[in-house]
Amino acid sequence: MAKVKVFNMQAQEVGSTTLPDELFAVEYNEPLIHEAVVAYNANQRQGTKSTLTRSEVRGHAKKPYRQKGTGHARQGSTKGPQYTGGGIVFAPKPRDFSKKMNKQARRKALLSALSQKIRQNEVVILDNFAFENAKTKEAKAFIDAFKFQGSILVVNDNNDEKIMKATANLASLEVEKADNLNVYEVVATKNVVLTQSAIKSIKEAYAE
């Protein structure tokens, strides 16, 4: 088991904790992580876009003018795609983009991504993540204390109203509950902050 330092929100070391190897020292599996990210992004797509084909647009199929003798190209209907207001060629229609991934594969992909972040020293362990007054300046002080560079993902077990209000106006800071954590959020973020309560939740959820 790896022993790591625990900090408070002022970036002061306040203790240490151990991370079980079966959860936080998992071998890096890039193909599996890629599959999980692709599945996540696909599942975010609504698939609701829809346009009309030439058979669906309003109008009629009458020839706009006679076949020969006009000097123009022959036309069969003003509902064709070459006309303004005509139908769309290969019109997009509502469809389901979702991709399935089995539970064990998702589990392994998430633990692999977290383990890689730890190996890259891009994970900070917090004793607690909370704010007194729900002020943006409190959240900004937290970022400044650790001198974070790039995006930050805070994984907490209980994100109350004060936390959400304090972090709402900081584009670089995202807050997520441990039970909603996914691979995409981990790999798309430079710095991952895990609270001790979040680690406990991850252990309970993913320990075999």
Side-chain angles (χ1 to χ4, degrees), residues 26-165:
V26 177
E27 182 182 358
Y28 182 57
N29 192 329
E30 185 173 356
L32 192 61
I33 291 174
H34 177 266
E35 182 183 349
V37 170
V38 169
Y40 173 82
N41 285 329
N43 294 337
Q44 303 309 301
R45 300 183 67 175
Q46 292 182 324
T48 56
K49 61 183 179 180
S50 179
T51 55
L52 303 179
T53 64
R54 63 184 298 161
S55 66
E56 297 171 319
V57 295
R58 187 175 182 180
H60 53 77
K62 181 181 177 181
K63 284 177 70 67
Y65 45 80
R66 60 194 175 95
Q67 180 84 344
K68 296 178 180 293
T70 64
H72 298 294
R74 56 191 177 185
Q75 302 292 337
S77 170
T78 55
K79 295 168 66 175
Q82 71 274 26
Y83 280 96
T84 300
I88 303 298
V89 180
F90 306 125
K93 293 296 181 181
R95 54 173 291 194
D96 182 12
F97 287 96
S98 65
K99 293 180 180 293
K100 292 184 178 180
M101 191 173 182
N102 68 62
K103 184 177 179 180
Q104 288 299 318
R106 290 199 310 270
R107 171 190 179 278
K108 188 173 181 181
L110 177 60
L111 296 180
S112 177
L114 283 174
S115 298
Q116 184 66 6
K117 281 288 185 181
I118 291 174
R119 283 190 285 268
Q120 294 173 342
N121 295 319
E122 294 176 345
V123 173
V124 171
I125 310 300
L126 277 188
D127 61 343
N128 186 40
F129 186 72
F131 298 102
E132 292 184 5
N133 302 309
K135 297 291 186 180
T136 302
K137 65 180 180 181
E138 291 182 275
K140 186 65 168 59
F142 160 70
I143 296 175
D144 293 340
F146 283 93
K147 300 179 180 178
F148 286 124
Q149 298 295 321
S151 55
I152 308 150
L153 172 65
V154 177
V155 185
N156 197 20
D157 192 43
N158 180 28
N159 297 321
D160 59 26
E161 186 178 358
K162 288 184 178 181
I163 290 176
M164 303 314 295
K165 284 185 176 181

Side-chain angles (χ1 to χ4, degrees), residues 168-187:
N169 292 328
L170 297 174
S172 63
L173 178 61
E174 293 291 334
V175 180
E176 186 62 272
K177 289 189 67 176
D179 54 1
N180 292 332
L181 184 62
N182 62 74
V183 177
Y184 176 80
E185 291 175 315
V186 175
V187 300

Side-chain angles (χ1 to χ4, degrees), residues 178-208:
D179 54 1
N180 292 332
L181 184 62
N182 62 74
V183 177
Y184 176 80
E185 291 175 315
V186 175
V187 300
T189 308
K190 175 64 176 174
N191 306 285
V192 176
V193 178
L194 299 175
T195 63
Q196 289 189 306
S197 61
I199 293 175
K200 182 180 179 182
S201 294
I202 292 172
K203 288 179 181 178
E204 293 174 351
Y206 295 102
E208 293 182 337

